[in-house]
Amino acid sequence: MNFTRAPLSRILALPFLFFVSSVCAQNGDAMANVPPSLVPAELVPPTRALSADEELKTFQVAPGYRVELAACEPLVGDPIFAQFGPDGRLWVVEMLGYMPDIQGNREDEPVGRIVILKDTDGDGRFDQSKVFLDQLIMPRTVLPIGEGALVGAPPMLWYCPDKNGDGKADEKIEVAKDAGAQTIPGRPELANPEHGANSPLWALDNWIYFAEYAARFRWRGAGTFERSLSSMRGQYGLSQDDFGRLYYNFNSGHLQGDMWPSHYRLRNPHYEKSGGRINPPVNQAVWPIRVTPGTNRAYIPENMAGHKLKNFTAACSPWIYRGDLFPADALGNAFACEPALHLVKRDIMTLEKGKLVAREAYEKREFLASTDERFRPVSMTTGPDGALYVIDFYRGIIQHRISLSPYLEKYIQEHDLVNPRGLGRIWRIVPENARTRPAANLAKLGNAELVPILAHANSWHRETAQRLLVERADAGVVSALEALTRGDVALGRMHALWTLDGMGKTTWPVIEAALADVDARVRNSAVRIAEVFLAGKGRAAAVTSLIALSATEPDSQVQTQIALTLGECQDPAADLAMAAMASRVPDHPYLTEAILSGVNGRELELLEHCLATGSGKALIPSLAGCVASERNPARVSRLLALAEKAGATPRKTLLAGFTANAADFTRRKVKLEAKPAFLDTPGTEKVADMLSWPGKPAPAGFKPPRPLTADEQSRFEMGKALYSGICAGCHQPSGSGLDGIAPPLIDSEWVNGSPERLSRIVLHGVRGYITVKKRRYQLDMPPLGALGDEPLAAILTYLRREWEHGSDPISPDFLKAVREKEARRTDSWTEQELLKIP
């Protein structure tokens, strides 16, 4: 997805004085009024930087495991992400330019690097470091691929081949130039490193996905990539499970996921709930072993328990363990980093009544925790040896300037946490009795040798072998792959299917057999891969088989995929089969969403079928809501005619669905040619409020929005660019928000309501529970006051006029006045406080 941004020259033209003066105003009087720490000074352990050996002694790891040092400075510095290449070497992103000082000055300097670590003697500890690519500004990503690697340094994503095999990139080939906001001299706050494309993952389906990026890519050889629309997910970190489901998280929610591939959620703009986003954890509690005064909100009593933060505040990099070294009870477990609280959590994942649930593996303790203030676990990966590798940024400052509270700024200064920089560690976690395994080198294997590795017990081996086979595209191994689809190991059968798909060598007989496989993971993959036959001569056989399977499939996860794939058929018979599925498995937690995601433009026809036959009755409210969201006058009139003829009970159900999002029609009504007579029926008043027709009087007090002035329009355009780089990661480019994380902005009463309240929210942040469009959210939105009055006014003007909003814009002078009025405030706002403000 390409986001429209204002020219950099316009952003650079923002008066620097605004930024300097506003920050000084915020940090002048405000710093004198910073709330005191809730942790007595005598309870705060030393915060000096430790050597790697000293840091190792600070760890508390779960029983049955031990921590080993895999690498440290000077081999590696400021590491934020790492992936193993097929030869067993570790590719590491070094963000050496992050926060050189407390103001974030000099972040635009090209000091970032990609280095490759190698264990030359096989003792399990890296002893060689080679720079693959340097002179990067705040790099985020690396993915070994082809002859080199995919490298990201916002806003650029490059393919960097090493054609002569000397371990260094020979060139940078542009793949994309919208992978985050560019770091601009003097304006580090515009390129918040919490956002921007990161953590590339070659997934089971052979697409490369990212966290914080609404695009995916597919390798097409010779440094070329196919690009496709994806969904914005997470803040930092991405992983997958054996079904190919993607997992990510947000700073206050340590494990989120896609119950099904995210591209399906983009199919139906009329159904805003589609997507199957999941929130498996039962809670967000954390159990640090060190007092935690050094966090943004540690001065708020309700956030603390025993001088320690109670819940996640900087969650990142969830990782699903699927290696072959940990005990069997760890397979499929989710691990998540919490760098602000110096720990790694472990959750046990289970499927309960069709829903994934995550529960803490330990009671009031974590899988890994440290008493070292500078232990900053920011990323994890499974190695060729099956160990869990933890990337330790090892920094005093972990919070970026964009969201640094005055309280934390003072704490950093008092405890001398700015320096040293350039340190970093990579830790390996293994079972207590584990022996060192030599690193595997799959790169040297022939294609025929790689095929059986698709059934390996370690996910790194399976996935690397699949990637290499897809990259090499050797038709000579097709027969071996087809044989493996009938092999004894279910995961081998599944990876063989996806390898054939990635090579473009899938045949219908192979898929047809896999649709009857005894393992749900294999059937699930076969159903999805069957979509390649929907556009060719095999369409009839594929549709027939999928419809037949929809009537018998027992597994809830495969049922979801069948519904998603039937939606791709865009066939009336497939739609009717989905309605029948809805009746056959009425308690399925995601089936309605999966079905509705795939009937774009056909909702009314399916609704007519459900009303006429009684099949799929549970779909009726959502189908009616889709017709409303479509805002097509002819189809809305047809739906109202259906309601008029329906019996009392189905009519009530239908109209309830139609009016479910009535608030979104306050300004954007459906324009009919004439008033339907049906609207004179009692009980249709809410429907009538969503519609307009010639001669209908305007609501009392209604005033059309005034046109923006030239200056306001310029500010709107700038706000659009800033929103994409700063806000869209959580609130989404569409303004629709993220369930459980960020409330919607479109048609929000907070966006379109009091400018006094809205200004305070962005200046100081908001915390705790807040109600938006009748739904409650629990937030810890950071302050954006450091942006300055001009940029903030631009963002707020954009919010109040985008998405057909008609609210008055907000000027820099208005924000300046609010800032001055609240100059002594250092805390974020609660909903109760905001509601007291007119």
Side-chain angles (χ1 to χ4, degrees), residues 1-2 207-210 213-218 225-231 263 266:
M1 179 180 292
N2 291 316
W207 284 94
I208 299 167
Y209 295 88
F210 295 79
Y213 193 30
R216 59 178 183 166
F217 300 85
R218 194 160 187 168
F225 294 83
E226 174 188 354
R227 177 172 178 152
S228 173
L229 191 65
S230 187
S231 179
H263 68 276
L266 305 173

Side-chain angles (χ1 to χ4, degrees), residues 228-245:
S228 173
L229 191 65
S230 187
S231 179
M232 192 78 80
R233 63 181 66 79
Q235 281 184 266
Y236 193 80
L238 190 66
S239 64
Q240 67 178 342
D241 64 13
D242 285 340
F243 267 86
R245 288 181 289 242

Side-chain angles (χ1 to χ4, degrees), residues 314-334:
C316 60
S317 300
W319 189 256
I320 308 299
Y321 180 80
R322 296 177 296 131
D324 61 343
L325 185 63
F326 281 19
D329 65 359
L331 276 175
N333 285 191

Side-chain angles (χ1 to χ4, degrees), residues 510-790:
V510 168
I511 295 301
E512 187 175 34
L515 290 173
D517 198 280
V518 297
D519 191 280
R521 294 167 295 186
V522 180
R523 295 197 305 277
N524 193 78
S525 293
V527 170
R528 186 174 169 200
I529 295 172
E531 293 174 14
V532 303
F533 298 98
L534 297 179
K537 62 181 181 180
R539 174 182 171 85
V543 173
T544 299
S545 295
L546 291 167
I547 289 176
L549 187 61
S550 73
T552 59
E553 173 58 52
D555 185 88
S556 64
Q557 299 165 103
V558 185
Q559 289 166 354
T560 300
Q561 184 59 55
I562 291 171
L564 295 168
T565 297
L566 286 174
E568 290 293 293
C569 297
Q570 299 186 27
D571 185 292
D575 291 350
L576 302 190
M578 288 191 284
M581 283 184 71
S583 294
R584 183 170 74 86
V585 283
D587 297 327
H588 194 296
Y590 305 110
L591 195 61
T592 294
E593 290 186 35
I595 292 172
L596 269 293
S597 76
V599 292
N600 178 24
R602 306 188 307 280
E603 299 96 335
L604 182 58
E605 290 73 15
L606 187 55
L607 174 59
E608 290 172 332
H609 168 76
C610 293
L611 284 171
T613 65
S615 177
K617 289 190 293 185
L619 300 175
I620 290 175
S622 296
L623 288 168
C626 288
V627 175
S629 295
E630 191 177 359
R631 286 182 162 81
N632 182 302
R635 291 172 71 80
V636 168
S637 297
R638 189 167 143 194
L639 180 140
L640 296 179
L642 282 175
E644 186 174 11
K645 296 176 183 178
T649 299
R651 176 190 299 167
K652 182 178 180 181
T653 301
L654 189 154
L655 294 183
F658 185 86
T659 59
N661 294 313
D664 295 348
F665 292 76
T666 302
R667 287 172 299 281
R668 298 178 289 147
K669 300 182 185 297
V670 181
K671 299 177 182 179
L672 304 183
E673 292 182 357
K675 178 183 178 180
F678 175 60
L679 295 184
D680 291 327
T681 305
T684 60
E685 294 81 8
K686 195 171 183 180
V687 176
D689 287 342
M690 299 167 61
L691 313 173
S692 67
W693 53 83
K696 182 180 181 181
F702 172 78
K703 292 190 303 182
R706 67 167 176 80
L708 296 177
T709 66
D711 285 345
E712 290 168 343
Q713 184 61 40
S714 177
R715 194 171 293 129
F716 173 92
E717 296 298 332
M718 181 176 295
K720 188 173 186 178
L722 294 173
Y723 176 84
S724 294
I726 296 173
C727 315
C730 291
H731 292 287
Q732 300 295 283
S734 64
S736 59
L738 283 173
D739 284 347
I741 296 297
L745 302 177
I746 185 170
D747 293 315
S748 165
E749 61 269 44
W750 296 94
V751 169
N752 293 296
S754 164
E756 296 277 354
R757 296 172 184 170
L758 183 61
S759 298
R760 284 164 171 80
I761 288 174
V762 295
L763 284 172
H764 307 109
V766 64
R767 58 183 169 86
Y769 286 102
I770 188 168
T771 301
V772 182
K773 297 174 68 174
K774 298 182 180 180
R775 290 192 60 183
R776 292 191 82 197
Y777 294 81
Q778 188 172 14
L779 304 178
D780 188 6
M781 175 183 160
L784 299 177
L787 284 176
D789 299 327
E790 182 77 23

Side-chain angles (χ1 to χ4, degrees), residues 272-431:
E272 64 177 22
K273 295 181 182 178
S274 63
R277 291 187 186 272
I278 53 175
N279 301 279
V282 294
N283 62 58
Q284 299 296 334
V286 287
W287 309 100
I289 60 173
R290 175 192 173 94
V291 295
T292 58
T295 57
N296 239 8
R297 302 280 186 244
Y299 57 86
I300 302 172
E302 59 263 35
N303 287 355
M304 306 287 281
H307 306 310
K308 300 172 183 176
L309 216 65
K310 295 189 293 185
N311 296 304
F312 274 96
T313 187
C316 60
S317 300
W319 189 256
I320 308 299
Y321 180 80
R322 296 177 296 131
D324 61 343
L325 185 63
F326 281 19
D329 65 359
L331 276 175
N333 285 191
F335 295 80
C337 295
E338 176 37 286
L341 305 177
H342 332 294
L343 59 87
V344 174
K345 178 173 284 292
R346 173 185 175 186
D347 285 313
I348 298 172
M349 302 280 287
T350 57
L351 188 68
E352 301 176 12
K353 296 181 179 180
K355 289 188 175 183
L356 283 171
V357 176
R359 292 185 172 86
E360 293 179 291
Y362 311 101
E363 185 176 356
K364 296 185 178 181
R365 67 171 295 168
E366 302 294 357
F367 177 71
L368 176 67
S370 172
T371 57
D372 186 352
E373 177 97 33
R374 298 170 189 253
F375 172 54
R376 307 295 193 183
V378 294
S379 185
M380 290 180 286
T381 190
T382 302
D385 57 354
L388 182 66
Y389 286 76
V390 178
I391 313 305
D392 178 4
F393 196 29
Y394 206 75
R395 275 289 197 109
I397 299 179
I398 196 69
Q399 187 78 59
H400 192 256
R401 180 71 186 95
I402 184 67
S403 50
L404 190 64
S405 67
Y407 165 84
L408 183 53
E409 182 174 339
K410 182 179 179 182
Y411 180 87
I412 290 170
Q413 293 171 334
E414 290 177 344
H415 291 82
D416 195 21
L417 292 175
V418 176
N419 292 305
R421 297 179 295 111
L423 308 180
R425 287 84 196 255
I426 297 173
W427 304 101
R428 177 195 295 109
I429 304 179
V430 299

